[in-house]
Amino acid sequence: MTTRKANTARDLALDVLLSVETRGAYSNLALTNALRHTRLDSRDVGLATELVYGTIGRLNTIDFYLTPLLKTPLHQLEDWVRNLLRLTVYQLMYLDRVPPFAAINEAVEIAKRRGAKASGFVNGVLRSFLRKKDDIKMPSRERNWVKRISLEHSHPEWMVKLWETTYGRETAEAICIANNVRPKVTLRVNSHRLTRDELLQQLLDAGVQAHASEVSPYGVLLDQGLDVAKLPAFQEGLCTVQDESSMLVAQALAPEKGMRVLDCCAAPGGKTTHLAELMGDEGEVFAVDIHEHKIELIFNVADRLGLQSITAQAGDIRDVVGEAGQFDSILLDAPCSGLGVIRRKPDLKWGKVPGDIAEIAGIQRDLLHTVAGALKPGGVLVYSTCTVAPEENEAMIAEFLALHPEFSGDPLQPHLPAEIMAGASPDAFSVQIFPQQYESDGFFIARLRRNS
């Protein structure tokens, strides 16, 4: 990988793409780190962000179009050349505001700076793409629906097949389309300190356009992209960043003042602090996370929000829970395959394999059985994941209830917004939220009660 300092949005995007492909970096972390070390203006920051997430998100489609234009297989090209072609084809296919000649000229200039001999090759391939792209045909939907959707919406075939088998073709395609839509920035009001309307007014006074979420009564959606950390309301602890679907998890648990609540896989602390806010910061939220370095993140966000009721400990919850005593309520936001947050982490699509779901389901099963023993009779356990895979969600809960007759499903309807539970029976105790429903993350939430 090149070590030269990025001086344009496209240079920076190329460096991040190389980090993701050759070093296995997470796109969001690599991009954040790269932006911290650059002086690009806000417009170029936006373009670099679009190029990184867009190119990774559309990788399958881009490579499909590039492959027939090359005499040398794509994977045998130099890493930077392959990724430069990809990010430029992304612009040519998906960004109307970038004229083709400008995108190609920029690519050629980058090629000259990184390896002059390749500039002619890059120029030739990209101009060939413009001439021939309409002649490159995808498989028909009638003959190979899975492969067509995989290429058209850029997802691994196994993922498309999983959703087709489970939810049907219409929903499967809708999930894939939603996964390619960039998410909006959402804030959660610190309800311990002010109302959502008061937060909206403060944002408006600061010149920030925003509106109330229809998914969560605590959510606010920003109408424009900006650096949230610079907002006075954020710095003063009046809000925090959290996806709308994620806000529903603490609501589903519905903790009360004075309770002792266990948050099992707590870092970075979004749901932990929401629980404390809903409890009026009275009682105890005991947060546990296996990553010791992330415990500080929980305390940092709790301090910024002015919450005192949170304690935290590093360790595997399966080792910690035995000595932690009994709890009134437990939240198990389990580690999962993450198939509900692909729009935030597009590289996740290409790093997962079907076996990952069975492997993580084994861990989820173990965690669920272990922590259930720490719940007081009459207490509530909420199990949640940010994935759209039945093996980790509905099937997991069905198996748990079959093995634990002391537990039963507890209706979600009194605790979640009517829109979220629309169409569900009054006694429904779980809900699968798809990313295409509310333009929020895909989430699964189940509410269980221990009867004895």
Side-chain angles (χ1 to χ4, degrees), residues 286-301:
F286 182 49
V288 180
D289 197 273
I290 196 169
H291 301 293
E292 187 169 357
H293 67 283
K294 292 185 177 180
I295 295 298
E296 187 177 351
L297 299 177
I298 298 173
F299 284 129
N300 287 344
V301 67

Side-chain angles (χ1 to χ4, degrees), residues 31-73:
L31 178 61
T32 300
N33 185 54
L35 290 174
R36 280 181 185 152
H37 296 88
T38 185
R39 294 183 177 178
L40 297 180
D41 61 31
S42 59
R43 185 176 173 182
D44 277 342
V45 168
L47 176 58
T49 302
E50 174 70 38
L51 292 178
V52 168
Y53 287 125
T55 302
I56 295 173
R58 298 287 186 174
L59 200 60
N60 213 17
T61 313
I62 292 169
D63 285 359
F64 173 78
Y65 278 96
L66 274 173
T67 296
L69 306 177
L70 302 169
K71 293 180 180 177
T72 301

Side-chain angles (χ1 to χ4, degrees), residues 138-149 169:
M138 290 186 180
S140 72
R141 287 175 176 247
E142 292 74 19
R143 292 186 178 181
N144 195 335
W145 188 87
V146 170
K147 190 170 185 62
R148 172 59 183 258
I149 298 301
R169 289 186 172 182

